[in-house]
Amino acid sequence: MSEQFEFTADNVEKANAFIARYPEGRQRSAVMPLLDLAQRQNGGWLPDGAVETIAGILGMAPIRVLEVATFYSMYKLAPVGKHRINVCTTTPCWLRGSDEVVHACKTSLGIEIGETTADGEFTLAEVECAGACVNAPVVEIGDEYYEDVDAESMTRIIEALKRGEKPDPGSQIGRQTSAPEGGPQVLTGDVTVKQTKSGKAKE
Amino acid sequence: MPKLTIDGIEFEAEAGSSVLQACEALGIEIPRFCYHERLSVAGNCRMCLVEMERSPKPVASCAMPVAEGMVIHTNTETVKKARNGVMEFLLINHPLDCPICDQGGECDLQDQAMAYGKDSSRYHEHKRAVKDKYMGPLVKTIMTRCIHCTRCVRFATEIAGVPELGLLGRGEGAEISTYLEKALASELSGNVIDLCPVGALTSKPYAFHARSWELGKTESIDAMDAVGAAIRIDSRGNEVMRVLPRLNDDVNEEWLSDRSRFACDGLRRQRLDKPYVRGADGKLAPASWDEALAAVTSKLGGIDGSKIAAIAGDQCDAESMFALKSLMESLGSPNLDCRQEGAVLDGSGARAGYIFNSGFAGIEDADALLIVGSNPRIEAPVVNARIRKRWLLGDFPVGVIGQQADLTYEYDYLGAGPQTLGEIASGKHPFAKVLQKAERPMIIVGMGALARTDGAAVLAAARKVAEDTGAAGRDWNGFNILHTASARVGGLDLGFVPGEGGRDVAGIMEGAEKGNIEAVYLLAADEIDMNRFGKAFVIYQGHHGDMGAHRADVILPGAAYTEKSGTWVNSEGRVQRGQRAAFPPGEAKEDWTILRALSGVMDKTLPFDTLTALREQMARAYPVFATLDDLVPAQWGAFGTADGALGEGAFAPAIANFYMTCPISRASETMAECTAVFVNGGKEATGTDG
């Protein structure tokens, strides 16, 4: 049937830890972390064998595991590149120039959206809101978020990945977390808080 | 019980029921697609929206439990608008292919679109299209029509117990599929066709054969197994196009096994449509009825009754067996048998000794079960679904002695053969304690345990277990025999078993080989070894050119179960009447009329000229046949008291191939395909199917 899949000894231990988080009789709840574990072990995607192995471990029908794996777009059921570049193109990112970011990806990788480079290093995808609109545009690569990306920084990140380096995640314009661009804009003066008798804070 | 107001009517609903059920009880129709009373509630189609006071939005009535003081409106403008909106959404992606859809005319979506649909679409984008899925030789899929109600998924998971169907993906990408597109391996798979509210899952053998409104619909009784399911036979002209289940809560609920549903194409093939007589050259040649009856008369008239024998087949109606028995009696033959498989059950003991005493519905009252020599999943899939239903409720220990098969529920495997049963009967086995502790224990004994040389001892042991554990108590009788043949209980009720000094099936064959039996009358009996009749003159009366017809010296063409009005007694002992849906082909006739005609030619005229007269006489001689459709509890009495040692060998399965058990199913192409896919190890989808 489908190719065999076995968890490595390390991952068996991790899997057991995940399963142990759930009360007796509710072990099936561990299906999502186990799918993620299998996906990480298998180079970013889930073969049928992994679905069946997890179904066996959790005492579920394979179709039930497959239902979960197909429901969430983060589970991949076909081989993907080593670096998965997910560019957010939903409205806030798009307003802030995600089109140029996508264009930069296409040019420097030589692939279209949904494709994988011939060397199997990069897969490019367009995603819906990644939930980091404050620092739009946002690009997710592997487990990291790269924020405030533009065409120039995107190209730089890709080149670094190509060299095997790990570029710094987070804001690419030096923004502190999600503070306003260019540093704090309010509450910049010296602030002393005095305690009044009524207990209200008064400047 | 909570009191609520529905459309201004105060109503006391059953606690725990849903608003939809309460509305139904009041006679208010609520449209629905995903809700089905025998499946879990999914609440995903949203068609059953109603307005509830103090709720800001319409609520899905199928998933809303009734509560005290609720005020529900089902006919307001809001409700109508809400349902119109749901319908519009459903139709966005539904193809407009009703003219070529097999569901057309009996489609929930079509019907409800008449009430809630618009005459045009506001949707101008492309409709989505979904690749069809392979689900085996029985279920045809046109997945673009699917509205994702998930009834089929819930049926496979909950009722059939084969969690192979699922909803993959989500949103617009959602698709129903089996895992890796394997055939749906259930004996009940055809029921997803009935459950599907649209034309996404339709019958593959029936595809493009007929429209529902051009079919004649005959309510009848299934004779393909001993369940006696209520069926509707749909025929066009004289051709049976399909068989569907009818509702009968006591027997089949609303399910039907795949063999009963799909073997009907076998009714068109291999039929005996004229009489045949074997000539001097040893070849069967067509003959007229007069010639055939004369040939039988000249043979039977010249020999002593003790040298004549009769064997009744597995699907015979009680009327023809009664006629044959009367004829044999007038010929002076005690050599009768209806037990082709050789089960030790005989009609002489108490009726409770050979029927399913608790009734199929009684399974739901049982609290422990011992299955002996039976695989209910194969022998009676609908009964197995009932056992699974009970098992799902919990606290239901099941023990199995015999074949270790996947029964769709968990069980303790106790052993393979009669020795284990002996241990339980003697109380030594731990499962005996389980049965003793239960208030309403149940024992199901199958043909695999009884059709063997130590069958009598097995029956005696089972009886002992039943009596010792309280399974055969005063208020509860859980001693159940599960038959595989629809004619068997009727035959036993009629005493179609060897008379005084008569021979049983094995004795008849032995006698025929040795020359002591000179003529054998086979009434549609095909499940015996035809090579063992020696030089005996074999008369075969039946409907298919199967084993019996090949051996026969005279063939009298009879009617299949869809072609005669007949009485069948199911495993429970329920006497039910089937109706004729089509006429027998060519010169073939209803079976009792053949025997009546033969008796006239032989000058032993049977004393009935009409079916009504025959039935009256039958009911007078065997009062069991006087009560139709209802169960009459059988008295516990003497049976299975025979001595004898329990043997060693494991109980063999009573049915080797679920899809082929009778002449009709053996002649069916659909069943042949099922055998190839499910029994002989599964060929993959070829891509040219459908």
Side-chain angles (χ1 to χ4, degrees), chain B residues 6-84:
Chain B
I6 302 173
D7 292 346
I9 310 165
E10 280 217 349
F11 181 69
E12 230 174 87
E14 211 174 297
S17 64
S18 64
V19 171
L20 188 148
Q21 286 169 321
C23 291
E24 292 243 293
L26 268 177
I28 299 167
E29 200 180 316
I30 306 285
R32 85 288 303 263
F33 294 110
C34 72
Y35 174 79
H36 190 278
E37 52 265 54
R38 293 182 206 281
L39 304 174
S40 63
V41 173
N44 53 12
C45 78
R46 315 309 288 177
M47 196 62 201
C48 65
L49 293 175
V50 295
E51 208 180 340
M52 183 170 80
E53 280 188 11
R54 289 187 312 227
S55 159
K57 298 185 288 180
V59 298
S61 60
C62 70
M64 175 64 70
V66 290
E68 187 63 43
M70 233 178 204
V71 182
I72 302 288
H73 301 284
T74 70
N75 51 10
T76 59
E77 200 45 42
T78 314
V79 170
K80 176 97 173 111
K81 261 176 96 176
R83 290 179 188 165
N84 284 353

Side-chain angles (χ1 to χ4, degrees), chain A residues 95-107:
Chain A
L95 284 170
R96 298 269 295 156
S98 67
D99 279 356
E100 282 102 77
V101 177
V102 171
H103 184 75
C105 291
K106 287 182 182 174
T107 354

Side-chain angles (χ1 to χ4, degrees), chain B residues 521-551:
Chain B
Y521 200 111
L522 299 179
L523 184 61
D526 290 279
E527 319 301 322
I528 35 181
D529 186 359
M530 295 297 166
N531 298 319
R532 292 194 52 208
F533 285 119
K535 290 203 173 79
F537 185 79
V538 175
I539 303 144
Y540 180 80
Q541 175 183 339
H543 41 84
H544 271 76
D546 206 73
M547 326 281 194
H550 286 290
R551 172 60 185 82

